[in-house]
mmCIF file of all heavy atoms in Angstrom:
data_model
loop_
_atom_site.group_PDB
_atom_site.id
_atom_site.type_symbol
_atom_site.label_atom_id
_atom_site.label_comp_id
_atom_site.label_asym_id
_atom_site.label_seq_id
_atom_site.Cartn_x
_atom_site.Cartn_y
_atom_site.Cartn_z
ATOM 1 N N THR A 65 -51.468 24.864 6.881
ATOM 2 C CA THR A 65 -51.109 26.002 7.704
ATOM 3 C C THR A 65 -51.380 25.636 9.189
ATOM 4 O O THR A 65 -52.172 24.735 9.477
ATOM 5 C CB THR A 65 -52.003 27.235 7.314
ATOM 6 O OG1 THR A 65 -53.351 26.878 7.415
ATOM 7 C CG2 THR A 65 -51.678 27.654 5.867
ATOM 8 N N PRO A 66 -50.719 26.344 10.097
ATOM 9 C CA PRO A 66 -50.854 25.998 11.545
ATOM 10 C C PRO A 66 -52.252 26.138 12.016
ATOM 11 O O PRO A 66 -52.955 27.101 11.696
ATOM 12 C CB PRO A 66 -49.917 27.001 12.214
ATOM 13 C CG PRO A 66 -49.005 27.498 11.182
ATOM 14 C CD PRO A 66 -49.764 27.479 9.871
ATOM 15 N N PRO A 67 -52.755 25.251 12.873
ATOM 16 C CA PRO A 67 -54.069 25.332 13.464
ATOM 17 C C PRO A 67 -54.128 26.553 14.332
ATOM 18 O O PRO A 67 -53.078 27.055 14.896
ATOM 19 C CB PRO A 67 -54.197 24.075 14.241
ATOM 20 C CG PRO A 67 -53.202 23.118 13.712
ATOM 21 C CD PRO A 67 -52.082 23.962 13.218
ATOM 22 N N PRO A 68 -55.298 27.176 14.595
ATOM 23 C CA PRO A 68 -55.421 28.367 15.433
ATOM 24 C C PRO A 68 -54.798 28.159 16.824
ATOM 25 O O PRO A 68 -54.179 29.114 17.355
ATOM 26 C CB PRO A 68 -56.948 28.584 15.518
ATOM 27 C CG PRO A 68 -57.498 27.913 14.287
ATOM 28 C CD PRO A 68 -56.650 26.760 14.062
ATOM 29 N N ALA A 69 -54.939 26.993 17.432
ATOM 30 C CA ALA A 69 -54.415 26.765 18.792
ATOM 31 C C ALA A 69 -52.909 26.870 18.767
ATOM 32 O O ALA A 69 -52.320 27.433 19.697
ATOM 33 C CB ALA A 69 -54.802 25.414 19.308
ATOM 34 N N LEU A 70 -52.239 26.309 17.735
ATOM 35 C CA LEU A 70 -50.740 26.433 17.679
ATOM 36 C C LEU A 70 -50.351 27.863 17.474
ATOM 37 O O LEU A 70 -49.311 28.304 18.011
ATOM 38 C CB LEU A 70 -50.290 25.530 16.519
ATOM 39 C CG LEU A 70 -48.769 25.406 16.359
ATOM 40 C CD1 LEU A 70 -48.140 24.925 17.648
ATOM 41 C CD2 LEU A 70 -48.402 24.515 15.235
ATOM 42 N N VAL A 71 -51.052 28.624 16.634
ATOM 43 C CA VAL A 71 -50.783 29.995 16.453
ATOM 44 C C VAL A 71 -50.797 30.771 17.731
ATOM 45 O O VAL A 71 -49.951 31.629 18.069
ATOM 46 C CB VAL A 71 -51.720 30.631 15.411
ATOM 47 C CG1 VAL A 71 -51.536 32.125 15.307
ATOM 48 C CG2 VAL A 71 -51.526 30.001 14.035
ATOM 49 N N GLN A 72 -51.841 30.439 18.572
ATOM 50 C CA GLN A 72 -51.957 31.136 19.835
ATOM 51 C C GLN A 72 -50.776 30.795 20.756
ATOM 52 O O GLN A 72 -50.269 31.686 21.428
ATOM 53 C CB GLN A 72 -53.286 30.727 20.488
ATOM 54 C CG GLN A 72 -53.552 31.498 21.753
ATOM 55 C CD GLN A 72 -54.969 31.165 22.331
ATOM 56 O OE1 GLN A 72 -55.745 30.438 21.709
ATOM 57 N NE2 GLN A 72 -55.219 31.619 23.537
ATOM 58 N N LEU A 73 -50.413 29.540 20.848
ATOM 59 C CA LEU A 73 -49.251 29.155 21.649
ATOM 60 C C LEU A 73 -47.973 29.819 21.219
ATOM 61 O O LEU A 73 -47.175 30.212 22.034
ATOM 62 C CB LEU A 73 -49.132 27.624 21.623
ATOM 63 C CG LEU A 73 -50.162 26.788 22.327
ATOM 64 C CD1 LEU A 73 -49.846 25.273 22.182
ATOM 65 C CD2 LEU A 73 -50.290 27.169 23.782
ATOM 66 N N ARG A 74 -47.812 29.969 19.911
ATOM 67 C CA ARG A 74 -46.622 30.632 19.345
ATOM 68 C C ARG A 74 -46.600 32.083 19.870
ATOM 69 O O ARG A 74 -45.494 32.631 20.272
ATOM 70 C CB ARG A 74 -46.612 30.584 17.874
ATOM 71 C CG ARG A 74 -46.188 29.227 17.274
ATOM 72 C CD ARG A 74 -46.280 29.308 15.775
ATOM 73 N NE ARG A 74 -45.820 28.060 15.194
ATOM 74 C CZ ARG A 74 -45.939 27.768 13.862
ATOM 75 N NH1 ARG A 74 -46.354 28.745 13.017
ATOM 76 N NH2 ARG A 74 -45.470 26.612 13.407
ATOM 77 N N ALA A 75 -47.731 32.768 19.832
ATOM 78 C CA ALA A 75 -47.775 34.132 20.251
ATOM 79 C C ALA A 75 -47.457 34.290 21.705
ATOM 80 O O ALA A 75 -46.735 35.233 22.185
ATOM 81 C CB ALA A 75 -49.138 34.767 19.966
ATOM 82 N N ILE A 76 -48.002 33.372 22.527
ATOM 83 C CA ILE A 76 -47.751 33.410 23.977
ATOM 84 C C ILE A 76 -46.242 33.162 24.249
ATOM 85 O O ILE A 76 -45.612 33.862 25.044
ATOM 86 C CB ILE A 76 -48.575 32.385 24.718
ATOM 87 C CG1 ILE A 76 -50.083 32.700 24.594
ATOM 88 C CG2 ILE A 76 -48.197 32.306 26.189
ATOM 89 C CD1 ILE A 76 -50.986 31.598 24.990
ATOM 90 N N ALA A 77 -45.677 32.140 23.566
ATOM 91 C CA ALA A 77 -44.258 31.785 23.806
ATOM 92 C C ALA A 77 -43.332 32.936 23.381
ATOM 93 O O ALA A 77 -42.423 33.242 24.108
ATOM 94 C CB ALA A 77 -43.919 30.569 23.008
ATOM 95 N N ALA A 78 -43.675 33.623 22.270
ATOM 96 C CA ALA A 78 -42.854 34.727 21.800
ATOM 97 C C ALA A 78 -42.915 35.818 22.789
ATOM 98 O O ALA A 78 -41.865 36.485 23.049
ATOM 99 C CB ALA A 78 -43.368 35.199 20.414
#
Side-chain angles (χ1 to χ4, degrees):
T65 56
L70 185 56
V71 173
Q72 186 176 354
L73 290 181
R74 284 178 177 174
I76 295 167

